[in-house]
Amino acid sequence: MATFFGETVILSSRAVDEEDEEEEVEDENEEDREIKRELEKKREVHLHWNADFSRQFETSSDKTLQISELIIAVGYNASGFLSAFALSSGKWETVGNISLWNEKSRFTRETSLEHPGEPSCIFYRKDENPEVLICQCTCYVAEDQLFQWAAKERNVLGCIEKRSLKVTILSDCPVANYRSPEYISAIPVPFLKALKTRTYNENLCCSPLEQPNVVSGIPAAVLSYCQVHQIPAVLYQCYTDVVKLDSVTIETYKSTLSCSSLRKLIKPCTALSTEILKKLTEDNETQSNLYT
């Protein structure tokens, strides 16, 4: 609209304005997409095998590892149980690790060698029984990283021959997550519950997990993968009221020694196992004390 007589007024075209707006939106969308791509790349899960394991993987005809038993410990107490009662007997070799980054875990590909004490997932193989693989996972794995961790090609289950594989999972879980018609206060804590795939035919060492309880995280991702691919797998989930490393919670896992997968690896309680268990819990108490 002219403000005085004779003024030249340039009329704006709505079509042109809409085109400019569309270009701005496209620019914004492209910027958003780039940010999303960078974030997805940052949150990638990386599996690193040592030279010997990598050589086995690359030289196999179908690019898979020949593993008959995979035992996964998720959480500090499950991992502590394997440290005290499995890794303490015989000679175990560290054959790989998983590095990842998310809001709760700062273990990255670049810092994995510089800071081995950071939360991580570490794989071990016993010299006398190379077809058995143990994984200790004490880091947080976000929901969008679970598929990468468990099932993505060249990651944990994606790179193992499935025909003769059996999977055992030990996992820590807060007792507050347990659903029961009984009062939780009337149930002795800690306690174990089991969940298995359809093809797992062995006897369970504890009562099965009842509905409407659910499983989440790495145990859920691994069990789902095994169910789809008809791999015998079982989860022993320990419900506890102690979130830190705890000797009572660790010893709750002893009932799993009746499972064939663990019976072959774990010897009866020895003085060495007891000493390692004591040291694990004492070290944790020291680290938890701000005034120590």
Side-chain angles (χ1 to χ4, degrees):
M1 178 175 146
T3 56
F4 60 91
F5 183 79
E7 179 183 4
T8 301
V9 178
I10 301 176
L11 297 177
S12 61
S13 167
R14 178 171 294 180
V16 173
D17 289 344
E18 289 178 352
E19 288 177 1
D20 292 341
E21 290 176 3
E22 288 177 0
E23 288 179 2
E24 290 178 2
V25 170
E26 287 180 2
D27 292 340
E28 290 177 1
N29 288 342
E30 181 57 35
E31 184 178 352
D32 291 342
R33 284 193 290 269
E34 181 62 28
I35 294 173
K36 185 178 179 181
R37 283 193 292 267
E38 290 179 2
L39 183 59
E40 288 176 349
K41 186 175 181 179
K42 189 176 182 180
R43 296 174 72 91
E44 287 179 354
V45 177
H46 301 279
L47 173 58
H48 319 283
W49 296 119
N50 67 8
D52 182 38
F53 239 52
S54 297
R55 198 178 304 112
Q56 290 183 33
F57 183 85
E58 295 299 336
T59 56
S60 63
S61 58
D62 52 359
K63 294 290 188 288
T64 58
L65 296 170
Q66 302 302 312
I67 302 296
S68 60
E69 301 275 357
L70 174 62
I71 301 169
I72 303 173
V74 183
Y76 289 104
N77 289 299
S79 297
F81 170 72
L82 290 185
S83 292
F85 296 98
L87 299 177
S88 63
S89 61
K91 186 177 180 182
W92 291 84
E93 175 191 10
T94 303
V95 295
N97 68 73
I98 286 179
S99 60
L100 55 87
W101 177 92
N102 56 50
E103 295 79 5
K104 295 184 180 181
S105 178
R106 295 172 296 172
F107 186 78
T108 66
R109 190 172 189 176
E110 291 73 24
T111 61
S112 60
L113 297 178
E114 298 172 12
H115 304 287
E118 288 281 344
S120 59
C121 300
I122 303 175
F123 294 86
Y124 302 90
R125 181 178 65 170
K126 197 171 187 177
D127 288 354
E128 308 94 85
N129 198 348
E131 291 193 355
V132 176
L133 198 63
I134 280 182
C135 172
Q136 287 182 314
C137 185
T138 55
C139 72
Y140 171 77
V141 181
E143 289 185 3
D144 63 317
Q145 296 174 315
L146 291 172
F147 174 80
Q148 293 186 63
W149 194 101
K152 188 178 178 182
E153 186 179 0
R154 296 182 74 90
N155 268 6
V156 181
L157 293 168
C159 68
I160 297 177
E161 169 58 49
K162 302 174 182 62
R163 283 174 293 184
S164 59
L165 178 64
K166 184 189 296 182
V167 179
T168 303
I169 312 161
L170 307 177
S171 175
D172 304 341
C173 188
V175 71
N177 292 352
Y178 183 67
R179 301 292 177 263
S180 171
E182 304 177 36
Y183 287 108
I184 298 298
S185 58
I187 304 174
V189 178
F191 59 90
L192 282 180
K193 290 291 180 178
L195 187 63
K196 67 184 184 68
T197 61
R198 190 177 295 112
T199 54
Y200 187 86
N201 298 320
E202 294 186 25
N203 294 328
L204 300 176
C205 68
C206 63
S207 58
L209 185 64
E210 313 92 336
Q211 294 182 351
N213 286 287
V214 296
V215 174
S216 60
I218 291 175
V222 173
L223 277 181
S224 298
Y225 182 92
C226 292
Q227 178 72 8
V228 170
H229 293 273
Q230 299 183 352
I231 299 171
V234 63
L235 163 67
Y236 289 108
Q237 186 143 282
C238 182
Y239 289 91
T240 178
D241 54 356
V242 181
V243 294
K244 63 179 182 179
L245 202 63
D246 171 61
S247 60
V248 177
T249 303
I250 289 174
E251 291 190 356
T252 304
Y253 286 107
K254 280 186 178 180
S255 59
T256 62
L257 298 183
S258 60
C259 303
S260 62
S261 300
L262 295 175
R263 190 167 57 242
K264 291 184 293 187
L265 297 177
I266 300 176
K267 297 178 180 180
C269 182
T270 62
L272 179 59
S273 299
T274 305
E275 185 63 28
I276 292 174
L277 180 57
K278 182 180 178 181
K279 187 177 186 305
L280 284 172
T281 52
E282 286 179 350
D283 288 348
N284 181 72
E285 288 174 1
T286 301
Q287 292 171 9
S288 301
N289 191 339
L290 295 177
Y291 301 99
T292 299

